[in-house]
Amino acid sequence: MVSDNATNITKAGDLLKCELHLGCYAHTLNLAVQKCLGVQSVARLLARVRKIVGFFHRSSVTSAMLKTQASLLELPYHKLVTDVTRWNSAYEMLDGYISMHAAVFSVLVSKDLKNKDKDLKFLTDDETTLSEDIITCFKPLKAMATTMCSETSPTASIILLIHYQLLDHVLLPKEGDSPTIGYATKENMLNKVSTLDPRFKTLPYLPEEDRLSVFDTLVRGQEIFLTRTQRLLKTEPVNNADNPPILEIPPLPVLATVSNDSAPHPPEENPIPPKIMKIESKSKPSSSTLGDILGDIYITKVHL
């Protein structure tokens, strides 16, 4: 059985005891991106662009002015489009608008423009940047959805290839990603939360490569956070290693004590500890505690 992912269709497959029920992958992508369009800043931006596009649609005079301005600015002219139900129309609306943004601005500030809507507002610089970020984010998704909607050949054989390309490349965080447009999975987020807990900071359940990846993401996230904080406070970045930025962080609760009487030496530059020492809980865990449930994972590993 092949269908979309509507609840009634999924239920029908269950009632029919269908052994193999494939949901439409293009529909899955659509549902995911629709969640993105529901983000408040994105929804507000789309409403603003939709209103501007509608203004040009309602008047042949303003449309003619837009074509003239595009020619003067040597921009490839095309008619602005508005979005409809499907998410890819939102992408096309933003992409078309941004490519004509300079011409639109020229028309809206022109003294020759009559009967301008008083509530019509330009996009701010931040909104223009957000539009460009959304276009960059949605472009590969649109290509994938278009491929999956092919009616000339079967597409079941490429579902996993596209899926893993999406997860392993397209949606991976990259240096220079916009602070507004970010990709994350619950697993990535929970791994970062676990390593910030002193009890599980070494992430012993992950392979070494995955652990180092989580650590690297946290370090880069801290650097970005400090840079933005300094920018907000209008201070110069601190490059002196002897005088790092001071952040007031509440102390963590004491969760464990060192079983060895000797104090551990400071960690070396090598992030992989040469030796492992167990840190035991102050109170012996009962049968219902994490110690019994997680076993060795509950033991924190530190440098000797």
Side-chain angles (χ1 to χ4, degrees):
M1 179 176 176
V2 180
S3 72
D4 61 19
N5 299 286
T7 304
N8 57 340
I9 296 297
T10 303
K11 183 64 176 178
D14 294 339
L15 292 175
L16 292 172
K17 298 182 179 180
C18 182
E19 294 183 2
L20 180 59
H21 183 183
L22 292 178
C24 175
Y25 192 71
H27 188 218
T28 301
L29 281 177
N30 177 66
L31 294 176
V33 178
Q34 288 292 352
K35 294 286 186 180
C36 301
L37 299 180
V39 175
Q40 186 176 6
S41 59
V42 177
R44 185 168 54 245
L45 170 67
L46 292 175
R48 182 77 62 85
V49 175
R50 192 180 300 120
K51 192 168 186 177
I52 294 174
V53 172
F55 174 74
F56 283 92
H57 279 192
R58 289 192 297 270
S59 171
S60 59
V61 175
T62 54
S63 295
M65 292 177 65
L66 180 62
K67 186 174 183 179
T68 300
Q69 288 297 325
S71 177
L72 292 174
L73 295 171
E74 298 182 349
L75 295 175
Y77 172 78
H78 58 81
K79 187 176 181 181
L80 299 177
V81 298
T82 189
D83 58 339
V84 287
T85 305
R86 292 185 178 274
W87 71 267
N88 55 342
S89 64
Y91 164 82
E92 292 165 356
M93 180 179 73
L94 286 179
D95 189 39
Y97 174 84
I98 288 299
S99 64
M100 295 283 290
H101 178 62
V104 171
F105 181 82
S106 298
V107 172
L108 294 181
V109 298
S110 174
K111 294 181 180 179
D112 297 331
L113 183 62
K114 307 296 183 183
N115 301 321
K116 177 184 174 183
D117 189 343
K118 295 181 179 180
D119 295 329
L120 197 64
K121 298 179 180 179
F122 308 122
L123 294 190
T124 65
D125 291 341
D126 289 341
E127 287 173 329
T128 301
T129 300
L130 176 58
S131 299
E132 294 169 345
D133 291 338
I134 293 174
I135 292 169
T136 301
C137 171
F138 283 1
K139 185 176 181 179
L141 300 180
K142 182 177 183 294
M144 291 179 175
T146 302
T147 300
M148 295 307 302
C149 289
S150 171
E151 296 181 358
T152 59
S153 60
T155 55
S157 60
I158 63 174
I159 289 178
L160 284 183
L161 279 75
I162 287 182
H163 182 69
Y164 285 119
Q165 178 72 11
L166 185 69
L167 297 182
D168 295 342
H169 298 282
V170 176
L171 298 185
L172 281 183
K174 303 176 184 64
E175 186 176 355
D177 275 348
S178 162
T180 304
I181 305 298
Y183 308 105
T185 64
K186 291 181 180 179
E187 183 177 356
N188 290 338
M189 183 271 291
L190 292 175
N191 280 331
K192 288 188 286 187
V193 172
S194 294
T195 197
L196 292 174
D197 188 320
R199 297 170 297 177
F200 318 118
K201 63 183 180 181
T202 57
L203 303 178
Y205 55 88
L206 288 180
E208 180 179 333
E209 182 179 353
D210 294 341
R211 289 201 303 269
L212 295 178
S213 176
V214 175
F215 299 154
D216 181 63
T217 302
L218 281 173
V219 171
R220 287 190 289 112
Q222 181 193 34
E223 292 172 350
I224 294 173
F225 170 76
L226 291 176
T227 301
R228 291 177 186 165
T229 302
Q230 289 160 350
R231 188 182 300 119
L232 289 173
L233 296 176
K234 297 182 179 179
T235 60
E236 294 296 327
V238 179
N239 296 321
N240 188 349
D242 296 329
N243 298 287
I246 298 176
L247 298 177
E248 295 184 1
I249 303 176
L252 291 171
V254 179
L255 298 177
T257 56
V258 181
S259 59
N260 196 330
D261 293 336
S262 60
H265 297 292
E268 301 175 356
E269 293 184 359
N270 186 354
I272 304 176
K275 297 181 180 180
I276 300 298
M277 176 178 62
K278 289 187 177 181
I279 290 186
E280 300 177 353
S281 175
K282 284 184 176 180
S283 59
K284 186 176 180 180
S286 64
S287 59
S288 61
T289 63
L290 282 176
D292 287 333
I293 297 173
L294 301 180
D296 290 341
I297 293 179
Y298 189 76
I299 302 300
T300 302
K301 301 176 181 179
V302 299
H303 292 274
L304 279 176

